[in-house]
Amino acid sequence: MSQSRLRRLPQWQALQQHAASIGETHLRELFAADPQRGETFIAEDVGLYLDYSKQRVDADTLRLLRELAAACGLPQHTEAMFRGERINRTEDRAVLHVALRAPAGERIELDGHDVVADVHEVLERMAAFAEQVRGGSWLGHTGKRIRNVVSIGIGGSDLGPVMAYEALRDYSDRDMTFRFVSNVDGTDFVEAVHGLDAAETLFIVCSKTFTTLETLSNAQAARAWCIRALADEKAVAKHFVAVSTNAGEVAKFGIDTSHMFGFWDWVGGRYSMESAIGLSTMLAIGPDRFAEMLAGFHAMDVHFRHTPYERNLPVLMGLLGVWNNNFLDAASVAVLPYEQYLKRFPAYLQQLTMESNGKRVTLDGAAVDYATGPIYWGEPGTNGQHSFYQLIHQGTRIVPCDFIGFGQGLNPLGQQHDLLIANLLAQGEALAFGKTADEVRAEGTAEALVAHRTFEGNRPSSTILAHKLTPHVLGALIALYEHSVFVQGVIWGIDSFDQWGVELGKQLAKTTIAELTAKDEPVLAHDSSTNRLIRRYRQLRDAAAAGKP
Ligand code: F6P
């Protein structure tokens, strides 16, 4: 097989050669050679400070990566996205989440139509609705005010809203309860409505397509729960709103489209949390703070579009990711927020990064001969330190880490915030510099334990700091990752905005559901494993239903 266009690029080959020379250079040596790198390998804007000095790069690496970006047409692709060209080629769609956070009055045209005006029209409707609910003038069917909001959705129609609610909980209306339902496992719905008074509960059904099995199943369950509790079909009108691009399906479901908040096919599911999909966020924190979050997103968009690559935060993060992934063979990235309110941020990033860049063919359909999107995972610090950090420090795989921390915690408790950040900083330092066998011996360690207590170090990390977790900072942080995913997708030449990989499982499930629910033993035509698992499941289910062990 001949090499791909990317690997044939002189810039790629130069990086390969460079990796052979610098690849094994220890961070201790890099810091010794350039003691100021902690002050120069940094970039700062939009309230975010990025220290990438503990990445295994030098000035040449960064130059070569920038040259690769230029050779891959990153500036042109970026402009194409901002101009609304149909860069989601396999779905023939524009990719304009940047329009969702553009200020009123800015124009972004799609086929000659200004989409920013549409965005602000929906934002105004959302704000009016949010004020009614938060202010108590939107009354439920029995005349009670709404105190509980249950958002139903999955994937991009859930992960963003849940993450944002958790992240901004400190800014939320504490007199209201917010819950989220995504899984088709009935437990998710039942637990979400546990203890709620239907008369005070509003359901937001979020689905771009309004055809997603999980969401529609849960929405039907919610409808039945509401009608049962309020003993009137008409209750749906006051207790359900929809967020979708598909008015036809919303109406078919029984939600009046005057209670629907729209968005557009140029918003990808995983890029939609600041569209009407974020209605639960706006209900929680109010329209003004929602606007602050949008401003944070927008500030990062402007930074990404106009800042030279040397200081461009998403470009730097994206290119460092390519370096670690393709030249240092790191197959995963750990995202480690030292901020409890960001506990769902890694899960959110998993969809953003892995659904976007988990692709094996280029835009032209040619198989790639290089690694594309790495596996993202993580947990808030310090919890992870007492669980999986062992592998990051002493395992056989390189796991580049993104540490995220804030100057101020939102819940000051004695010295605990300083303790938290001391841990963040100590981890980055330990990963980079490790502890040599001689240092371990000098501590008086028995020889038999020296190897066990040695840390080789040279484990790369970046650290992102901001003053505190505000709606603005959250918006900027998310946009930082969005654009770094974009940068990587451009380098790898893939479509970062489709998700065909989720289709096959959905199709097969349709056949299987008929087989699981068939009254008589179905004739099965799967492989022997799946056939037997289906039979075993039917037996287990029927035995459980009959009360047998
Ligand atoms: O199955 C994957 C996916 O299509 C995601 O891309 C999307 O965010 C999610 O399902 C939910 O889709 P919808 O918003 O149409 O219900």
Side-chain angles (χ1 to χ4, degrees), residues 191-516:
E191 287 294 340
V193 294
H194 186 80
L196 299 187
D197 177 357
E200 299 182 338
T201 302
L202 174 77
F203 290 97
I204 309 176
V205 186
C206 298
S207 176
K208 181 174 169 180
T209 56
F210 230 78
T211 57
T212 304
L213 170 95
E214 291 89 338
T215 302
L216 290 192
S217 304
N218 281 320
Q220 292 292 1
R223 197 173 189 279
W225 179 83
C226 178
I227 293 171
R228 202 167 44 243
L230 301 179
D232 191 349
E233 291 248 349
K234 291 198 197 83
V236 171
K238 287 291 182 178
H239 293 271
F240 280 76
V241 296
V243 179
S244 187
T245 59
N246 192 342
E249 288 297 324
V250 169
K252 227 193 266 175
F253 178 85
I255 298 177
D256 188 332
T257 48
S258 65
H259 295 166
M260 166 179 155
F261 300 87
F263 60 115
W264 307 271
D265 76 352
W266 43 263
V267 183
R270 53 193 176 275
Y271 298 87
S272 66
M273 59 162 281
E274 70 281 25
S275 71
I277 289 289
L279 183 60
S280 57
T281 316
M282 191 187 271
L283 284 165
I285 64 173
D288 291 347
R289 287 197 165 119
F290 194 84
E292 283 172 30
M293 182 180 80
L294 294 184
F297 272 101
H298 179 68
M300 185 57 73
D301 295 340
V302 173
H303 167 91
F304 174 53
R305 192 175 186 182
H306 299 295
T307 307
Y309 285 0
E310 287 85 345
R311 290 183 279 115
N312 192 309
L313 296 160
V315 171
L316 283 163
M317 291 240 320
L319 293 178
L320 289 166
V322 169
W323 170 252
N324 288 332
N325 187 56
N326 297 108
F327 300 97
L328 299 187
D329 291 332
S332 82
V333 177
V335 180
L336 307 167
Y338 279 63
E339 169 53 71
Q340 188 62 21
Y341 284 124
L342 286 180
K343 67 180 180 191
R344 293 303 303 265
F345 192 58
Y348 169 78
L349 280 189
Q350 282 182 324
Q351 189 201 16
L352 176 66
T353 59
M354 288 157 74
E355 197 167 67
S356 295
N357 283 345
K359 309 289 161 66
R360 54 171 291 282
V361 295
T362 63
L363 281 162
D364 301 328
V368 299
D369 55 359
Y370 43 85
T372 59
I375 299 154
Y376 275 73
W377 56 289
E379 275 288 315
T382 57
N383 292 1
Q385 289 177 208
H386 299 274
S387 141
F388 52 78
Y389 277 40
Q390 165 64 37
L391 182 147
I392 305 181
H393 282 286
Q394 288 189 315
T396 52
R397 298 164 198 280
I398 294 185
V399 182
C401 299
D402 287 353
F403 292 104
I404 302 170
F406 297 89
Q408 199 183 74
L410 293 166
N411 295 293
L413 204 58
Q415 266 207 317
Q416 286 190 214
H417 190 69
D418 287 339
L419 284 175
L420 177 73
I421 300 305
N423 272 279
L424 178 161
L425 299 175
Q427 291 300 324
E429 191 177 3
L431 286 169
F433 303 109
K435 195 186 221 182
T436 63
D438 286 345
E439 286 167 344
V440 175
R441 276 192 200 96
E443 288 173 350
T445 305
E447 196 54 36
L449 286 183
V450 168
H452 297 278
R453 302 188 68 157
T454 299
F455 290 69
E456 67 176 349
N458 209 20
R459 311 224 161 190
S461 68
S462 293
T463 302
I464 299 167
L465 296 179
H467 73 299
K468 71 176 184 183
L469 182 56
T470 63
H472 193 277
V473 165
L474 182 69
L477 189 63
I478 297 165
L480 168 64
Y481 277 94
E482 284 179 348
H483 294 316
S484 72
V485 164
F486 173 80
V487 168
Q488 296 179 347
V490 169
I491 304 286
W492 294 325
I494 57 181
D495 191 329
S496 298
F497 301 102
D498 62 13
Q499 56 283 317
W500 300 107
V502 298
E503 293 303 323
L504 179 60
K506 286 189 196 171
Q507 273 168 26
L508 293 179
K510 279 193 191 141
T511 312
T512 309
I513 183 78
E515 292 162 345
L516 296 185

